[in-house]
Amino acid sequence: MYEDFASTLAATMWTDFDDQPERDGPTAEITDIDSFVIDGNFPWTIVTVETDRGVTGIGEAYPSPGVHEIVTDYLKPVLVGENPLDVERLYNLMRESLSGRGSQWGVGTIAISGVEIALWDAAGKLLNQPIYQLLGGKTREEVRVYADCHAGEAMVSSAEEGQEETTYEPEAYAQAARMAVDDGFDMIKFDLDVPSGRDIDTLSRHFDPPEVEHKRSVVEAVTDEIGHEAEVAVDLHWNFSPETAKKLCRAIEPYDLAWVEDPLPPENTDAMRELQRSVETTLLTGENRYGRHGFRDLIEEQAVDFLAPDVPKTGGIAETKKIADMAEAYYQALIPHNIGSPIATVATAHVGATVPNFVAVEYHAREVSWWDDLVARDEPLIQNGRLEVPDGPGLGIQLDWDVVEEHRKPRT
């Protein structure tokens, strides 16, 4: 039923997508599209695009329910038989095929992102060129990587009535920061929206002075521990009201943080702009925005200092580059969000290689001991807080399928 629907929808598309001129250059044909999940610290959703030339493109979609169904039931019928080299045309074809079903925001865009990355990988392999070359070439040989240290070690304390609750003490954060810096990272981030051990009303998004003081003491402990060895950022995960975010930002201003991430819920650019203009702290947001249209107001209003698109979520490789190009006109820089496998990380690195206004990409899997094992290579991808952009065709990496199968999540 889904295949019939998708095929019918594709047949009614604008003729621009279907009536393609003949050409003498290389061609190929998509024969299959599928997805599966690797059970990492997040459910890494891997997308594969098969071609009649024996080339398989690999991509990654942001972890989200429903991605597999959209990829196989809606996008596959539209793309099978198409030329995978026409990445830009096929991206628009996918958006049109899901028009009204989430191709502008949400899980539809996430599924499209995973397929788009796989198309770039397939195109690069077919043309024997790295993705960065197809995007215009390098501006840098390597990209900076920052380590997400999460919340540090959980400290368990006794609560009333003999129960235990988890709190996060400043010393635990300092220890986690030290380990990341000793691993070679010169930029780190940790969560600041964590339990202090006090009973507070989180729904109100309001923090009283003792709660703000707990967050300030955490920042102080980390910055005292590592000094100028690394830049320090914090993540608030959209959990605060403007008044609380303002108080918190002012409380931690003396520590000269690299940025404060997502201090407010993502929907209201006006509120973010007003916060930006009322504090001295550097602000970053964007992981819950989709495509260049979703970033336009953030950029035009200059509502934040840094933008954080997530490549497997916001539309893929080319769409993220377009966001960077828009931001460059306003002298804004990108620090992309990334919780993915090596596929998502390397895809983001290819964007970072091609645009000047790229600061760093997030690495969120320090606790996954086999993260590097997923890639068939002799040395780690990330070394001393840097990722050298692969020069091989496509993404420039190959999966170790034995390791993939070992950690592959059964489909239910």
Side-chain angles (χ1 to χ4, degrees):
M1 180 178 68
Y2 292 121
E3 291 187 1
D4 292 343
F5 170 80
S7 298
T8 300
L9 189 59
T12 62
M13 291 301 190
W14 297 339
T15 56
D16 288 353
F17 293 129
D18 297 319
D19 299 333
Q20 298 303 308
E22 294 184 3
R23 58 191 181 194
D24 296 328
T27 61
E29 188 173 299
I30 297 171
T31 58
D32 195 16
I33 300 177
D34 203 357
S35 74
F36 61 90
V37 172
I38 296 175
D39 194 12
N41 57 331
F42 294 93
W44 298 326
T45 305
I46 311 304
V47 177
T48 58
V49 172
E50 305 282 353
T51 73
D52 64 348
R53 299 269 295 275
V55 165
T56 299
I58 55 174
E60 183 170 351
Y62 188 87
S64 182
V67 168
H68 177 73
E69 289 74 16
I70 294 173
V71 167
T72 57
D73 294 343
Y74 286 90
L75 299 180
K76 174 181 173 180
V78 172
L79 296 182
V80 166
E82 294 285 352
N83 186 344
L85 297 172
D86 296 338
V87 182
E88 186 76 13
R89 179 176 65 84
L90 297 185
Y91 175 74
N92 284 285
L93 176 58
M94 287 189 287
R95 283 170 57 89
E96 289 296 326
S97 71
L98 287 181
S99 179
R101 290 173 172 79
S103 65
Q104 314 303 317
W105 299 84
V107 66
T109 301
I110 291 170
I112 290 172
S113 302
V115 175
E116 193 260 11
I117 296 169
L119 287 171
W120 277 115
D121 186 47
K125 290 173 179 175
L126 288 164
L127 297 172
N128 197 32
Q129 293 290 331
I131 291 172
Y132 70 75
Q133 200 68 64
L134 303 181
L135 296 176
K138 287 181 180 177
T139 64
R140 55 180 58 85
E141 295 294 329
E142 61 182 17
V143 297
R144 192 179 186 186
V145 180
Y146 81 83
D148 191 313
C149 299
H150 309 299
E153 181 183 353
M155 307 297 289
V156 179
S157 60
S158 296
E160 294 182 3
E161 301 179 358
Q163 297 180 352
E164 292 185 336
E165 64 180 8
T166 300
T167 62
Y168 296 89
E169 302 298 337
E171 295 78 11
Y173 282 87
Q175 293 170 9
R178 170 50 57 194
M179 288 189 291
V181 172
D182 288 348
D183 284 344
F185 292 96
D186 60 7
M187 179 179 280
I188 62 173
K189 184 183 79 176
F190 52 87
D191 300 340
L192 206 55
D193 56 321
V194 294
S196 65
R198 301 174 64 248
D199 185 17
I200 61 171
D201 178 12
T202 57
L203 290 177
S204 70
R205 303 184 184 276
H206 170 74
F207 277 2
D208 61 11
E211 200 66 22
V212 173
E213 171 59 22
H214 171 259
K215 314 310 178 196
R216 187 209 62 79
S217 66
V218 166
V219 173
E220 180 181 55
V222 171
T223 53
D224 282 352
E225 170 63 33
I226 64 172
H228 294 294
E229 295 179 62
E231 295 186 76
V232 178
V234 296
D235 196 341
L236 304 184
H237 291 111
W238 330 283
N239 283 322
F240 301 113
S241 66
E243 60 88 15
T244 291
K246 188 182 300 183
K247 291 177 183 176
L248 182 55
C249 284
R250 288 175 176 171
I252 60 180
E253 277 174 6
Y255 303 99
D256 194 23
L257 295 180
W259 71 83
V260 173
E261 185 167 337
D262 293 327
L264 303 179
E267 303 89 355
N268 191 331
T269 298
D270 291 340
M272 186 69 74
R273 182 192 62 231
E274 293 307 308
L275 177 64
Q276 162 80 356
R277 293 176 180 176
S278 64
V279 300
E280 297 297 324
T281 311
T282 301
L283 302 183
L284 172 149
T285 198
E287 68 182 82
N288 284 322
R289 296 285 182 123
Y290 295 85
R292 59 194 184 276
H293 300 96
F295 278 84
R296 186 182 68 180
D297 57 349
L298 279 175
I299 294 170
E300 291 180 346
E301 296 291 331
Q302 300 187 64
V304 289
D305 301 284
F306 293 130
L307 303 169
D310 189 304
V311 174
K313 184 177 188 179
T314 198
I317 289 172
E319 193 68 12
T320 305
K321 186 177 186 299
K322 292 173 184 176
I323 293 168
D325 291 340
M326 288 176 58
E328 175 68 5
Y330 290 83
Y331 315 120
Q332 290 174 304
L334 265 62
I335 305 180
H337 181 259
N338 172 51
I339 61 171
S341 79
I343 297 173
T345 307
V346 171
T348 307
H350 277 276
V351 176
T354 64
V355 298
N357 54 330
F358 188 96
V359 176
V361 56
E362 181 175 10
Y363 172 55
H364 209 293
R366 289 182 64 246
E367 74 276 23
V368 181
S369 61
W370 45 269
W371 190 85
D372 272 302
D373 297 337
L374 286 170
V375 179
R377 54 184 282 147
D378 296 330
E379 56 186 15
L381 278 168
I382 300 169
Q383 299 184 54
N384 295 318
R386 300 294 187 274
L387 193 161
E388 186 175 348
V389 184
D391 288 322
L395 288 169
I397 58 173
Q398 298 293 333
L399 293 178
D400 185 322
W401 290 99
D402 290 335
V403 178
V404 169
E405 288 303 317
E406 181 181 351
H407 298 283
R408 184 168 176 163
K409 191 172 183 178
R411 183 167 290 138
T412 57

